[in-house]
Amino acid sequence: MSTGSGAASAPAPNPHDTPTAPDTPRRTSSMFSSLSVRNYRLFFLGQVVSNIGTWMQRIAQDWLVLSLTGSAAAVGITTALQFLPMLLFGLYGGVLVDRLRKRPTLLVTQTAMALTSLALAALTLTDRVEVWHIYVAAFALGLATVVDNPARQSFVSELVGPGHLQNAVSLNSANFQSARLVGPAVAGLLITGVGTGWAFLLNGLSFVAPLTGLLLMRARELHTVERAPRGKGQLREGLRYVAGRPDLIWPIVLIGFIGTFAFNFPVYLSAFADDVFHGGAGAYSMFNTLMAVGSLIGALLAARRGTARLRLLVLAALAFGALEIVAAGAPTLWMFALLMVPIGLFAMTVNVTTNTSIQMSTDPAVRGRVMALYMMVFLGGAPVGAPIVGWVTDTYGARVGLAVGGAIAMAAAAVIGLILARVGGLRLSVGWRNGHPQVRFVPRERQKALAPAV
């Protein structure tokens, strides 16, 4: 199977419309249509339980490190160790995923993650835990994620096929954001009531749900995807494939800029909570909760849409950046807090649209490598950008830091939108209609026809 640009399974795209194969079934607009697929339903239900456990562990892990060391820097080291494997080995994980069957791979990675959490629970519950144990556990979880993340991302297409892919990716995001509302609250109750060790224990046990779902799936109902054979140069092949596809490389570049400079919400929101509005931990928690609400709404709206257009990606990124700039100037705590809802909504729209358009535009034989590159850029950008964003925020203030992040997001969206329009043979049309200014992209031939009228 050819994996170059213009392969039969990945036709030359229109940069503003997600390409689909001629035999792709019509996408339904039902918000929960992909749940009609039994295998995906099992996958989704398993992730509901596991995601809640994941959020519980995140909160408990940070709190335990802070309790043991009294150092916020130690918490940052723990986070960096968890993301470091994705930066170092993410592309190699994608190569493995393209070679391996996804369901057995996920059984291994999910089991490894469960055992890591259970080991940390045992150390904590027996009062033997030390900070280096948490560092090792965080790095081990990161290593498992190197393979688990692209495997889960690409496995969705095998579960539901192209007709339900947009809906399934959106529901996965809604699933994760719902857990973001529940998991931290449960973790807080456990930490104050019985201790952090129980949060680790429950997270380890939560992996029983996705493992059971994987075992109960019917293999004959999975959509067959040709696996890449073992061979040399497959990493370079994946990079060349992406480099030759403007509809893949430019969305990845866009999410890289946004993830690095505009998605550093722990830095921004904590600074606004403490330094600007002096609201403390309560304000910080409220900001995160309202953003999670907006993200959940954005994921559900994305689930209802039948297509993933790159035009929507660019517009959502522009709106997201503009809202961050507006929020930077919010005069009151409540106005800033309310802006977290639309910011979360458009942030999730950017995330889901990028994820779906990349998956649907990619040859299945290289999908693992492409999704690994996407996740490496998306997840790896925040640890790289956080020190830069933190320095700007500390030096010039939280308002300037957030405004700069929003401006970078808007600039990246505008430039990449123009590049995609040019690749798609479109030009910017500026004119008047019914007494109002109108700015839109039109085919170049149509632009020439409209030129005398404008």
Side-chain angles (χ1 to χ4, degrees):
M1 176 182 291
S2 172
T3 56
S5 179
S9 58
N14 179 340
H16 293 267
D17 295 310
T18 299
T20 56
D23 58 348
T24 297
R26 185 179 66 85
R27 295 181 184 88
T28 177
S29 60
S30 171
M31 187 175 291
F32 303 103
S33 60
S34 54
L35 290 177
S36 63
V37 180
R38 180 183 181 275
N39 282 345
Y40 178 74
R41 192 161 58 247
L42 290 168
F43 178 82
F44 182 88
L45 293 174
Q47 292 301 305
V48 168
V49 178
S50 182
N51 284 335
I52 292 174
T54 296
W55 278 107
M56 289 167 52
Q57 172 140 335
R58 285 189 181 186
I59 301 300
Q61 176 179 278
D62 291 347
W63 183 261
L64 181 58
V65 171
L66 195 61
S67 300
L68 290 173
T69 65
S71 168
V75 177
I77 291 172
T78 306
T79 302
L81 286 171
Q82 193 156 333
F83 284 102
L84 184 62
M86 182 63 74
L87 282 173
L88 296 177
F89 312 117
L91 292 176
Y92 296 97
V95 172
L96 285 175
V97 168
D98 281 335
R99 293 175 180 173
L100 302 172
R101 288 187 299 160
K102 307 299 185 297
R103 187 164 65 139
T105 300
L106 287 172
L107 286 169
V108 172
T109 58
Q110 295 279 295
T111 300
M113 295 165 81
L115 292 175
T116 301
S117 298
L118 292 173
L120 191 56
L123 289 169
T124 307
L125 291 172
T126 57
D127 293 325
R128 296 178 181 177
V129 67
E130 298 180 25
V131 68
W132 71 267
H133 293 143
I134 306 173
Y135 288 164
V136 171
F139 190 76
L141 284 172
L143 285 175
T145 303
V146 166
V147 177
D148 183 82
N149 217 314
R152 278 190 296 108
Q153 296 284 338
S154 54
F155 187 49
V156 173
S157 64
E158 296 187 23
L159 291 170
V160 300
H164 291 294
L165 184 57
Q166 158 81 10
N167 181 260
V169 170
S170 302
L171 286 183
N172 284 349
S173 299
N175 186 330
F176 189 73
Q177 294 303 323
S178 300
R180 183 180 174 184
L181 294 173
V182 177
V186 176
L189 293 174
L190 288 172
I191 291 169
T192 56
V194 293
T196 54
W198 290 95
F200 298 139
L201 177 62
L202 290 180
N203 179 48
L205 295 177
S206 74
F207 284 96
V208 172
L211 289 170
T212 301
L214 289 167
L215 292 171
L216 292 177
M217 288 178 186
R218 297 168 181 164
R220 65 181 182 277
E221 295 178 6
L222 294 174
H223 293 256
T224 303
V225 173
E226 181 180 347
R227 285 181 285 149
R230 176 182 288 272
K232 295 182 179 180
Q234 290 182 322
L235 179 57
R236 292 191 299 272
E237 179 187 24
L239 293 175
R240 284 197 302 268
Y241 177 85
V242 173
R245 294 285 303 277
D247 60 318
L248 297 179
I249 186 64
W250 290 115
I252 291 176
V253 171
L254 177 58
I255 202 68
F257 273 103
I258 293 177
T260 300
F261 298 105
F263 272 9
N264 281 286
F265 295 118
V267 176
Y268 295 136
L269 299 188
S270 60
F272 268 87
D274 285 340
D275 302 333
V276 178
F277 298 120
H278 309 291
Y284 180 63
S285 176
M286 179 177 64
F287 296 158
N288 278 282
T289 300
L290 289 173
M291 182 171 289
V293 170
S295 299
L296 178 59
I297 295 171
L300 291 175
L301 289 176
R304 187 162 183 80
R305 283 192 295 270
T307 57
R309 298 174 180 269
L310 295 184
R311 177 172 53 200
L312 174 63
L313 169 60
V314 172
L315 292 175
L318 285 169
F320 168 74
L323 283 167
E324 284 202 333
I325 294 174
V326 171
T332 66
L333 182 148
W334 287 106
M335 184 178 294
F336 181 85
L338 290 175
L339 283 169
M340 291 301 101
V341 176
I343 286 176
L345 188 155
F346 282 105
M348 182 54 59
T349 302
V350 170
N351 186 2
V352 172
T353 306
T354 306
N355 188 318
T356 309
S357 63
I358 289 174
Q359 287 209 52
M360 297 182 70
S361 302
T362 302
D363 188 325
V366 295
R367 184 170 287 149
R369 280 164 283 181
V370 174
M371 293 309 297
L373 176 62
Y374 161 71
M375 296 307 300
M376 185 182 74
V377 171
F378 182 49
L379 296 179
V384 172
I388 301 172
V389 169
W391 177 82
V392 173
T393 300
D394 288 341
T395 305
Y396 301 101
R399 294 189 185 278
V400 173
L402 182 59
V404 168
I408 291 175
M410 287 192 70
V415 171
I416 290 172
L418 290 173
I419 292 173
L420 289 171
R422 185 175 182 83
V423 170
L426 303 177
R427 297 183 67 180
L428 187 67
S429 172
V430 181
W432 289 82
R433 184 174 182 180
N434 298 327
H436 299 286
Q438 185 179 59
V439 180
R440 56 180 176 164
F441 287 106
V442 297
R444 293 186 182 183
E445 295 77 7
R446 189 177 176 187
Q447 173 77 9
K448 293 177 182 178
L450 291 176
V454 177

